[in-house]
């Protein structure tokens, strides 16, 4: 039996069917794996081409600091009450039931659509090696793989994500190491010097407006770090594992992004035509591939293609896990159909898993109809969802602390205390709102804005508001009074050996 003190039991009796089998190494890689993907391996070059190496660096550092503040907020709430509903549960407990309903469904939709996008991406990557094989075969194999990892057990998901993320992390470490050797002149000829940082308009190309543009791109690249909050619901000893993952993962992710942009900025001029490539099909001319080829690495394109495939598998694996747990949690709270509450003997919400997989497959199927307009709209709606969730995390944390104060609780009770409160969540909320509002800034600046372009860019926002106010109208729910907020701790859940933790 575990010797850790048992936390208080929540009202979700069925929670006892879940298995707390994720350890610190799983939690760390889940968060890192969610943030390291094609945004770093392929699209980072486009960021440098747009804003210059200095502009891209400023944008990624700023977004990194915002994510740090958000992770602090999420870590505090998740260590206090780790549930698979995560920020959806927290929002319902500390802001309002309707706000929690909207955040939960918004997050489920975000990752379910992301799963569909990864089905498309997997087929594009495999086309690099097997151009004559029908794309749907690769998409089907991809879906079967991530579904199987999620269906086996929580630990199987965690192990799968650990190794998939480890491949990505290793690739970045090797890239940074080779980059430093090339910059110093130990490999590849003479030291690079600062020529690429001072040529033309560098280091800041286009001024503040282009930095704002990359600010948004960087935000999308960092999305996925919040997965650690969902995984907290099935983490062993979350009071220790969640804070440890929060503390370590941010600095590693920021180091990887800032380090990669710095290396690329030294070794490739921002005017290099191939830096403009930003699609997954451009792996042969991605900045990572170009640097590896210049370092004399054989088969650089094939190596990077394999790394990107693991990134896609990782994103699909985590996306399916997160959306399944969120849907199950919504069902447990009466915000989704009751039949989705069912857990199998391994503690897997199989019905929620099947429902999420089916929705992702349905969204993927829209690419086969017409010009793919339906799929494009779904992706655009999903794109804003991550920022809306981040804004919700910041606001919820502020309300959580208000409830703590109103009920006479001491912050010394918190297993993990967020730094820089109250400035932290306020700054993070303001930055998230800036990104949300600025989605169509280019259209406004260039005077090309149209009603259709606005709707396409902002469709995720009215969907979120429809969830929020639709639930409020239907249930007549009110904002939570901080003095009456539910500050109870997490449920008792069994670990992978069957012990209570």
């Amino acid at each position: 039996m575990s010797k850790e003190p048992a936390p208080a039991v929540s009202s979700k009796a069925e929670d006892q069917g879940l298995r707390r089998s994720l350890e610190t190494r799983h939690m760390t890689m889940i968060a890192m794996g969610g943030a390291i993907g094609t945004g770093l391996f392929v699209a980072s070059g486009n960021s440098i081409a747009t804003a210059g190496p200095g502009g891209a660096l400023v944008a990624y550092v700023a977004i990194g600091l915002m994510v740090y503040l958000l992770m602090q907020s999420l870590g505090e709430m998740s260590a206090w009450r780790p549930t698979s509903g995560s920020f959806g549960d927290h929002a319902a407990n500390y802001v309002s039931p309707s706000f929690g309903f909207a955040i939960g469904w918004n997050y489920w939709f975000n990752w379910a659509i992301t799963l569909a996008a990864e089905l498309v991406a997997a087929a594009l990557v495999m086309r690099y090696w097997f151009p004559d094989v029908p794309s749907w075969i690769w998409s089907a194999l991809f879906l079967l793989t991530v579904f199987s990892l999620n269906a086996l057990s929580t630990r199987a998901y965690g192990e799968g994500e650990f190794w998939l993320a480890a491949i990505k992390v290793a690739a970045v470490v090797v890239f940074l190491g080779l980059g430093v050797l090339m910059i110093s002149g130990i490999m590849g000829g003479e030291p690079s010097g600062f020529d690429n940082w001072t040529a033309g308009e560098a280091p800041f190309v286009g001024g503040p407006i282009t930095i704002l543009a990359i600010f948004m791109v960087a935000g999308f690249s960092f999305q996925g770090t919040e997965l650690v909050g969902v995984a907290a619901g099935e983490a062993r000893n979350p009071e220790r594992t969640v804070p440890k993952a929060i503390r370590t993962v941010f600095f590693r992710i920021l180091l990887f992004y800032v380090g990669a942009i710095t290396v690329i900025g030294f070794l490739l001029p921002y005017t290099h035509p191939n830096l403009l490539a930003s699609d997954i099909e451009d792996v042969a001319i991605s900045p990572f591939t170009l640097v590896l080829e210049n370092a004399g690495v054989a088969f650089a394109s094939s190596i990077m293609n394999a790394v990107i495939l693991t990134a896609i598998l990782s994103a699909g694996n985590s996306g399916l896990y997160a959306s399944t747990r969120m849907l199950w949690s919504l069902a447990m709270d009466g915000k989704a159909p009751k039949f989705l509450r069912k857990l199998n003997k391994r503690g897997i919400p199989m019905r929620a898993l099947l429902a999420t997989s089916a929705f992702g497959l349905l969204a993927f199927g829209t690419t086969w109809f017409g010009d793919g307009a339906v799929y494009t709209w779904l992706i655009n709606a999903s794109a804003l969802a991550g920022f809306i969730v981040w804004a919700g995390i910041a606001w919820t944390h502020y309300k959580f602390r208000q409830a703590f104060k109103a009920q006479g609780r001491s912050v010394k009770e918190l297993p993990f205390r967020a730094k820089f409160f109250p400035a932290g969540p306020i700054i993070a909320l303001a930055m998230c709102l800036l990104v949300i509002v600025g989605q169509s800034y280019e259209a406004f600046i260039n005077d090309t804005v149209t009603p259709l372009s606005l709707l396409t860019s902002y469709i995720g926002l009215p969907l979120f508001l429809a969830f929020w106010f639709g639930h409020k109208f239907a249930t007549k729910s009110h904002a939570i009074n901080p003095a009456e907020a539910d500050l109870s701790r997490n449920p008792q859940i069994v670990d992978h050996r069957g012990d209570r933790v």
Side-chain angles (χ1 to χ4, degrees):
M1 296 289 290
S2 171
K3 295 182 179 180
E4 292 295 321
V9 181
S10 79
S11 60
K12 293 183 182 179
E14 292 89 339
D15 271 1
Q16 297 192 12
L18 290 176
R19 302 291 192 269
R20 286 204 181 277
S21 53
L22 297 177
E23 300 173 3
T24 302
R25 65 186 181 91
H26 298 128
M27 300 289 287
T28 300
M29 284 300 192
I30 286 169
M32 292 181 68
I36 299 175
T38 54
L40 175 62
F41 294 127
V42 181
S44 55
N46 186 279
S47 298
I48 295 174
T50 301
L57 203 57
V58 167
Y60 275 86
V61 168
I63 281 290
L65 292 175
M66 181 189 78
V67 172
Y68 173 73
L69 297 174
L70 287 168
M71 294 293 282
Q72 290 283 310
S73 294
L74 181 59
E76 180 175 294
M77 294 186 292
S78 295
W80 176 258
R81 193 171 193 270
T83 70
S84 290
S86 191
F87 27 82
D89 281 348
H90 302 324
N93 285 335
Y94 313 130
V95 181
S96 78
S98 296
F99 189 69
F101 175 87
I103 287 289
W105 276 106
N106 179 75
Y107 195 69
W108 174 82
F109 173 81
N110 176 29
W111 278 108
I113 294 301
T114 299
L115 174 63
E118 303 304 342
L119 295 180
V120 176
L124 292 176
V125 169
M126 294 306 295
R127 188 186 298 167
Y128 178 88
W129 292 303
F130 306 99
D132 298 325
V133 177
S135 297
W136 68 266
I137 292 179
W138 300 120
S139 297
L141 288 173
F142 170 85
L143 180 60
L144 180 61
T145 300
V146 297
F147 178 86
S148 298
L149 286 172
N150 277 267
L152 286 173
S153 67
T154 299
R155 193 168 183 84
Y157 154 72
E159 286 295 334
E161 185 57 25
F162 176 84
W163 291 109
L164 288 171
I167 293 172
K168 295 188 291 184
V169 170
V172 178
V173 171
V174 170
F175 174 81
L176 294 178
L178 291 175
V180 170
L181 293 177
M182 294 175 70
I183 291 170
S184 61
I186 298 175
M187 177 183 289
E190 296 294 321
S192 62
F194 288 86
D195 290 348
N196 291 332
W197 286 77
T198 57
E201 295 182 57
F204 302 103
V205 178
I209 197 64
T210 57
I211 294 179
L212 177 62
I214 305 309
F215 191 83
M216 298 175 190
V217 174
F220 288 113
S221 298
F222 276 91
Q223 285 186 14
T225 50
E226 76 288 336
L227 284 165
V228 70
V230 178
E234 292 171 276
R236 294 208 64 187
N237 196 0
E239 290 193 6
R240 285 209 304 258
T241 56
V242 172
K244 190 172 182 180
I246 293 291
R247 291 189 187 103
T248 59
V249 73
F250 164 75
F251 294 104
R252 294 177 185 179
I253 291 174
L254 188 61
L255 172 65
F256 290 160
Y257 272 92
V258 171
I261 289 174
T262 302
V263 166
I264 296 169
F266 270 103
L267 298 178
L268 299 173
Y270 77 91
T271 53
H272 195 298
N274 289 343
L275 289 182
L276 291 171
S278 60
D279 292 329
I280 206 164
E281 294 177 281
D282 298 322
V283 63
I285 53 175
S286 79
F288 273 63
T289 304
L290 294 174
V291 170
L292 292 179
E293 286 178 343
N294 291 341
V297 176
F299 309 109
S301 294
S302 291
I303 291 172
M304 283 311 305
N305 209 54
V307 170
I308 289 174
L309 181 62
T310 64
I312 294 168
L313 286 168
S314 172
N317 189 39
S318 288
L320 186 55
Y321 170 82
S323 52
T324 295
R325 294 311 187 273
M326 187 62 71
L327 184 59
W328 173 81
S329 182
L330 288 166
M332 295 297 295
D333 284 334
K335 298 171 183 173
K338 289 184 179 180
F339 76 91
L340 296 171
R341 297 180 180 181
K342 181 69 174 178
L343 299 173
N344 65 16
K345 62 182 180 180
R346 297 186 302 278
I348 302 298
M350 187 59 69
R351 293 178 180 177
L353 178 61
L354 288 168
T356 302
S357 301
F359 183 84
L361 191 60
L362 179 65
F364 168 71
T366 63
T367 61
W368 294 344
F369 299 100
D371 59 358
V374 174
Y375 183 69
T376 300
W377 279 68
L378 289 173
I379 289 296
N380 286 334
S382 174
L384 267 184
F387 286 104
I388 292 172
V389 167
W390 281 1
I393 290 171
W395 179 238
T396 300
H397 180 222
Y398 187 83
K399 299 296 288 184
F400 170 71
R401 280 293 192 95
Q402 275 193 334
F404 234 69
K405 181 178 180 180
Q407 297 182 30
R409 308 292 290 266
S410 170
V411 293
K412 294 180 180 179
E413 299 177 54
L414 296 169
F416 173 74
R417 194 184 312 174
K419 296 180 180 178
F420 310 117
F421 184 88
I426 293 175
I427 293 172
L429 176 61
M431 293 176 75
C432 285
L433 293 178
L434 175 64
V435 174
I436 292 172
V437 172
Q439 291 301 301
S440 284
Y441 79 98
E442 285 184 302
F444 283 106
I445 291 175
N446 299 325
D447 198 25
T448 58
V449 64
T450 65
L452 182 59
S453 67
L454 278 179
L455 186 58
T456 301
S457 297
Y458 292 100
I459 187 173
L461 190 56
L463 283 175
F464 172 75
L465 295 175
F467 277 128
W468 186 358
F469 291 104
H471 183 272
K472 185 177 181 66
F473 177 79
T475 63
K476 304 296 190 294
S477 67
H478 299 285
I480 299 294
N481 182 345
E484 300 172 356
D486 179 10
L487 291 176
S488 61
R489 298 299 302 278
N490 58 289
Q492 281 186 314
I493 306 181
V494 296
D495 70 6
H496 66 285
R497 300 168 303 181
D499 293 339
R500 298 289 170 189
V501 293

